[in-house]
Amino acid sequence: MATIRLTTAQALIKFLNQQYIHVDGQELPFVEGIFTIFGHGNVLGIGQALEQDSGHLKVIQGKNEQGMAHAAIAYSKQMLRHKIYAVTTSVGPGAANLAAAAGTALANNIPVLFLPGDTFATRQPDPVLQQVEQEYSAAITTNDALKPVSRYWDRITRPEQLMSSLIRAFEVMTDPAKAGPATICISQDVEGEAYDFDEKFFGKRVHYLDRKAPVDRELKGAAELIKASKKPVILVGGGAKYSEAREIIMKLSEKHHIPLVETQAGKATVESTFKSNLGGLGVTGTLAANKAARQADLIIGIGTRYTDFATSSKTAFNFETTKFLNINVSRMQAYKLDAFQVVADAKTTLEQLAPLLDGYESEFANVITELKEEWVAERERLSQVSFSRESFDPEVKNQFSQDMLNEYADALQTELAQTTALLTINDTIEPDSIVISAAGSLPGDLQRIWNPTVPNTYHLEYGYSCMGYEVSGSLGIKLAEPTKEVYSLVGDGSFLMLHSEFITAIQYNQKVNILLFDNSGFGCINNLQMGNGGGSYFCEFRTHDHKILNIDYAKVAEGYGAKAYRTNTVEELQAALEDAKKQEVSTLIEMKVLPKTMTDGYDSWWHVGVAEVSEKESTQKAYELKQQKLKIAKQY
Ligand SMILES: Cc1ncc(C[n+]2csc(CCOP(=O)(O)OP(=O)(O)O)c2C)c(N)n1
Ligand SMILES: O=C1C[C@@H](O)[C@H](O)[C@@H](O)C1=O
Ligand SMILES: [Mg+2]
């Protein structure tokens, strides 16, 4: 057997260079690069290996482990899971910082390779710096905390273990039904240990992303269900986007008059201008989509996980009469809501289903246009909200008094409403620009009123809704789509939580644009607490003497070397957006927006943990309301 003597880390980097993915006849290297933050746990192992020979891997220095991992996740998500970045961290806190990002990748089914360093395999110097030392087991390290948030997890304590571990990791990451984070923790001494590796291990490996076809039983059953239904609705989930099923979805929708509704992950699979696209479904959905879903007698769920947001906590449908047809590569997902299951690729299934539906027409025909027109009018209203100091009725009603709203207008020196700012942006940026968001009130506004007219230009992480993904992820998107403008839509709370990779973007000349909506608080959570009977408690950003915080975020961005703008009116915002397009450097546009001016409601319900006993009548009422809603919700 021919062997090659390498350290574990050198073998790892050599292997990463030889992984390819084959999708629809096209073959591409699967690992584009590696994000690094070096510490004593990886600099002398993986650091040395990369310095010696990184091959084709692009090496990018991150600033925060969670942030760089979010950038890697966003890269993979934007590339429709066809390519990844790996992420290497040091031990202890460096590894622990991966946990929120791993959860983000897992909840969203995004492949990414995490390579945290681990404690010494020999245990000679124990306890090493940053080792937690559990009394009941020396085998526990910080990295065990990554197990529940990894799709595949392993610890390498001998060099030769690397071979079987990497093969399993790539099998998982390149399987659409299992795609998620693979975490391989490598003992820091082992990273530098040498071994005579079988040369065959480093041969080119192609991972085939084949499209699983449905069996005849599934196809016939699906066709029968659709033909027997009067009012079917197609729910476009993230799986539809990853399967690139746009054309066939549009064809079926058009031919058989079946309206489309979307999840956050599925949005912009089909552009919003498509006449049967009624937009987002559920808690953050449009009135049009929510009305259509309630009328439906069949939901054709394509690549959806049916989260609480998409199903309005299982109240979005009439469960007495509505049937479900689930098309999903994952059996676990297909089994949901007692559906008829087709466990197969979305695009292939729909293409094979098409000829079986000839002659079928739903009873939705004219209703689709009516619902859509009604929503277009509502969106138009939301684009022109204007503040009044005497009698302002914001979208989120009965929470802040006029005096309080005036206090915000004075403190932040603004009268700008969030919906108006958002739609100004939608109208001003280039249609092929990519927008990213993740947490706060913006995902709701985006799902309802943002109109993407170009497919795959809407990038929402709403599986984990992890604050901090917005800015970090914009770097990953820019790496995936270098010719497009990328806009990160972020609340002040999320920006404060994590924006370290903004600096990385500036450092590597990867232009991103931050659109910062500053309402001086955790706005959506404030809505949630007050909407369920609470007071305004620790969600506004106020000083010790109760003054509204007014942070000069533009100045912060300028300090990093970005071009920054302060915009509190529509005209200032438009001018800033136009100027930002011309910049080569990253930009930040700060908008002070009034609280309570985000969208709200539209016939949806979110099941949250309201207090069963409380001294407040308003909370007692909220609990009663929840109990009433639960009577119509499906129990599982
Ligand atoms: C990492 C993380 N921590 C906490 C939360 C819970 N959470 C969701 S939205 C939110 C506040 C967001 O505030 P901001 O970014 O200012 O957006 P706004 O709601 O004001 O628009 C919080 C704390 C979360 N989603 N992610
Ligand atoms: O708790 C939450 C409430 C949602 O409104 C918000 O978008 C999300 O980020 C979240 O975590
Ligand atoms: Mg805020």
Side-chain angles (χ1 to χ4, degrees), residues 221-230 298 355-361:
E224 271 166 29
L225 262 177
I226 296 174
K227 282 177 154 174
S229 76
K230 293 191 167 61
L298 177 70
L356 307 184
L357 298 178
D358 270 349
Y360 171 74
E361 201 172 301

Side-chain angles (χ1 to χ4, degrees), residues 33 41 70 84 114 136 175 198 241 248 253 258 298-299 307 314 319 330 344 352 360 418 431 474 499 509 523:
H70 276 162
I84 63 162
F114 293 136
Y136 70 90
D175 177 347
D198 184 345
K241 189 182 277 179
I248 185 67
S253 166
I258 308 178
L298 177 70
I299 299 292
T307 66
K314 300 195 177 112
F319 285 99
S330 155
Q352 294 192 8
Y360 171 74
Q418 179 161 312
S474 67
H499 63 261
N509 206 19

Side-chain angles (χ1 to χ4, degrees), residues 309 439-440 462 465 524-525 606:
F309 264 73
Y462 216 57
S465 187
C524 68
I525 307 299
W606 189 26

Side-chain angles (χ1 to χ4, degrees), residues 596-612:
K596 310 295 170 191
T597 60
M598 57 286 273
T599 58
D600 192 26
Y602 300 108
D603 264 7
S604 65
W605 177 66
W606 189 26
H607 187 182
V608 283
V610 186
E612 190 169 352

